[in-house]
Amino acid sequence: MSSSQWGSHTCMPCIRVGLSPKAGSCSGHRVGCVALHHTGTYVVAAGTCLGILDWDTQQVQWVAQVDGDKPHNRFNDGKVDPAGRFVAGTMPEASAPGVWEPGQGSLYALDAERSVVRHLSRLGIPNGLDWSLDHRIFYHVDSLDYAVRAYDYDVATGGIAHPRVLYRLPRDQGMPDGMCMDAAGKLWVACIDGGRVIRLDPETGTRLCTLEMPVSRVTSCSFGGADYTDLYVTSAADGLSPEQLSREPQAGHVFKVTGLGVRGLASRSFAG
């Protein structure tokens, strides 16, 4: 099966990758993302490792390590797909403030048997991700390309194919970062260094509305609350100068936005 190349990244055949982590190789790394597992446990991506965290004991059972040929990579964003796989992307650390080597990122899936498949390579900064309500389309942000892409998705196999750009954020409006979907099938995209969250219609590729935030480094968003009508928005303070921090005293805070008139969707749990 040949891989199909498009733009700056490559759709991979379903190649199983990931080595058993060496003792101590996964400890002390920055956590990129977590997702629900069973009660009291979580699936976690830290550094280039994937594992299962037991909250009560604070112990992690590391199950896989990826990107062994890219020592400066780390996991970034991730989410559980409709079949219970944990899908997460790796990205390079910045070589200088605001500078990343292109084409170093990949997108991986950890399945219920705890094996790892690489689905995409040559990405810039893999970021927010979600699936259409019918599970047939996968949406994914590449921050370095300022793009939200759509792919055909095979929920039975986790296969990803036929990429196309759904929306490209103007470069003077920050970079697209984390993303979630609401119950109407619309996408909410956080714009880091843009100070906003935007709502997109994935069928038309148009921006429906813009939610201005009191901080510039808006990083991600997710619906929550008793009926999933509250939008929780995260932000960052790193990278801001003392002068910027004085103008943005809430930088690094988590915000709850109410009264949007839409509902979100419950998070899925990892099936492994």
Side-chain angles (χ1 to χ4, degrees):
M1 183 182 197
S2 63
S3 60
S4 59
Q5 186 169 323
W6 180 93
S8 60
H9 74 284
T10 303
C11 294
M12 304 288 294
C14 292
I15 301 174
R16 297 198 176 274
V17 297
L19 302 174
S20 298
K22 297 179 181 178
S25 63
C26 293
S27 301
H29 290 288
R30 181 190 307 180
V31 174
C33 51
V34 298
L36 300 172
H37 187 221
H38 302 306
T39 300
T41 61
Y42 303 85
V43 58
V44 58
T48 55
C49 297
L50 296 164
I52 305 298
L53 166 66
D54 185 303
W55 189 258
D56 291 334
T57 65
Q58 298 291 287
Q59 298 299 307
V60 180
Q61 177 192 0
W62 298 109
V63 298
Q65 188 169 16
V66 301
D67 284 5
D69 59 334
K70 296 180 173 64
H72 301 296
N73 272 19
R74 64 171 177 85
F75 272 108
N76 190 32
D77 206 350
K79 192 171 288 185
V80 176
D81 85 345
R85 304 176 190 89
F86 182 54
V87 182
T90 58
M91 62 169 284
E93 292 284 11
S95 57
V99 179
W100 297 269
E101 184 178 353
Q104 299 302 299
S106 293
L107 189 77
Y108 295 94
L110 178 68
D111 64 24
E113 289 71 39
R114 301 189 180 181
S115 61
V116 179
V117 174
R118 183 170 63 184
H119 289 288
L120 298 175
S121 66
R122 296 181 61 197
L123 298 168
I125 300 178
N127 230 312
L129 62 165
D130 220 320
W131 289 261
S132 61
L133 298 181
D134 64 5
H135 307 160
R136 297 175 63 183
I137 301 175
F138 172 60
Y139 302 108
H140 188 230
V141 169
D142 189 332
S143 298
L144 203 56
D145 201 30
Y146 293 80
V148 181
R149 294 193 181 98
Y151 302 78
D152 293 345
Y153 196 72
D154 185 335
V155 72
T157 66
I160 299 171
H162 304 125
R164 57 268 189 194
V165 172
L166 185 156
Y167 184 85
R168 199 178 297 276
L169 189 70
R171 291 182 177 243
D172 61 353
Q173 297 183 22
M175 299 171 77
D177 202 326
M179 179 174 66
C180 68
M181 174 168 283
D182 63 31
K186 305 301 188 287
L187 296 170
W188 294 77
V189 183
C191 302
I192 191 167
D193 295 325
R196 57 178 60 92
V197 179
I198 59 175
R199 189 185 189 214
L200 303 177
D201 184 337
E203 293 187 1
T204 63
T206 57
R207 185 188 302 196
L208 300 175
C209 69
T210 300
L211 181 63
E212 300 289 348
M213 301 299 297
V215 293
S216 60
R217 308 215 75 203
V218 180
T219 54
S220 195
C221 54
S222 182
F223 284 93
D227 53 2
Y228 296 97
T229 57
D230 301 328
L231 184 68
Y232 290 85
V233 180
T234 58
S235 68
D238 65 306
L240 297 179
S241 68
E243 293 76 18
Q244 289 172 310
L245 288 170
S246 68
R247 294 194 299 270
E248 298 181 26
Q250 294 177 299
H253 289 202
V254 178
F255 301 89
K256 181 173 77 171
V257 184
T258 60
L260 292 172
V262 298
R263 293 177 183 269
L265 302 167
S267 296
R268 305 178 185 94
S269 295
F270 174 56

